Amino acid sequence: MTATAVLTARALLLDMDGTLVNSDAVVERVWRRWADRHGLDGDEVMKVVHGRQGHASMALLLPDRPKERNLAENARMLAEETLDMNGVVPVPGAPEFLASLRGLPHALVTSADVALSTARMAAAGLPLPDVRVTAESVGASKPDPEGFLKGAAELGVAPADCVVFEDSGAGIAAGRAAGMRVVGVGPRAAVHRPDALVGDLTKVRVEAAADGTVRLHVG
């Protein structure tokens, strides 16, 4: 891994929370309340929940609980999160980064559902990409590669020609499993050895090449 790199791709696949939108304040509030309700250590819970769909996190944290209960509780928590936009802000550089992608192949690939992703992107003042893969679109949560593979397929680009932007261990693992290169964004990404790493999106410059590829200057 290097902190400075030039990557060439035909499409970019973008996670939302922690990558484009800083929603950590909400995630902390909601999941620490959940941890308290279930008698779990909040710090340990926070090590698990980033990047995954809520029911997948619950399955790891409460492995003996029926899947139906996890799905039902996750639906309630998604609704709770969708109503709470206090502290939701763009990751530094995200507005400029997304503006530089206009007209270039890219997709949002998020573990949030349609309602939550729409609300958080709006709260952060960010435009939604035309192509979006949300929780409703997949049968398996990150770290399963399904979401990224669907995003690539919708854009008509081979997985090997895609670059993923991710902040979490689960997301980075999903990108790797999809056969894609991964740019890690922020401190959570650092320990998971992505192909390139930036503190935020101010450190990424996008260049459209004449052959239709996208050149990323990262670092």
Side-chain angles (χ1 to χ4, degrees), residues 172-198:
I172 291 169
R176 283 208 190 100
M180 302 172 182
R181 290 155 293 157
V182 182
V183 175
V185 180
R188 279 192 293 269
V191 298
H192 300 288
R193 301 188 62 81
D195 297 283
L197 177 68
V198 292

Side-chain angles (χ1 to χ4, degrees), residues 5-84:
V6 178
L7 303 176
T8 300
R10 293 198 172 274
L12 307 185
L13 302 177
L14 315 174
D15 175 53
M16 182 181 72
D17 291 303
T19 302
L20 298 174
V21 174
N22 182 345
S23 56
D24 282 2
V26 182
V27 175
E28 286 270 344
R29 284 195 294 272
V30 169
W31 279 99
R32 285 187 182 277
R33 285 198 297 264
W34 182 87
D36 288 344
R37 289 198 299 270
H38 294 283
L40 300 175
D41 182 277
D43 291 340
E44 294 304 312
V45 167
M46 296 313 302
K47 293 176 183 178
V48 172
V49 300
H50 291 289
R52 293 181 171 86
Q53 292 186 38
H55 65 84
S57 296
M58 293 172 191
L60 290 172
L61 293 161
L62 297 173
D64 297 326
R65 198 164 76 154
K67 180 179 179 180
E68 293 73 20
R69 285 191 61 192
N70 292 338
L71 290 170
E73 191 165 27
N74 182 53
R76 291 193 295 272
M77 289 178 69
L78 282 169
E80 183 181 350
E81 289 183 83
T82 303
L83 293 173
D84 185 356

Side-chain angles (χ1 to χ4, degrees), residues 91-143:
V91 166
E96 297 81 4
F97 175 65
L98 286 173
S100 73
L101 296 182
R102 288 192 192 112
L104 300 177
H106 66 287
L108 187 73
V109 181
T110 176
S111 295
D113 62 6
V114 169
L116 182 57
S117 58
T118 301
R120 281 191 178 158
M121 290 289 280
L126 299 175
L128 280 165
D130 292 336
V131 177
R132 301 184 288 276
V133 179
T134 61
E136 297 94 336
S137 309
V138 297
S141 169
K142 300 172 185 176

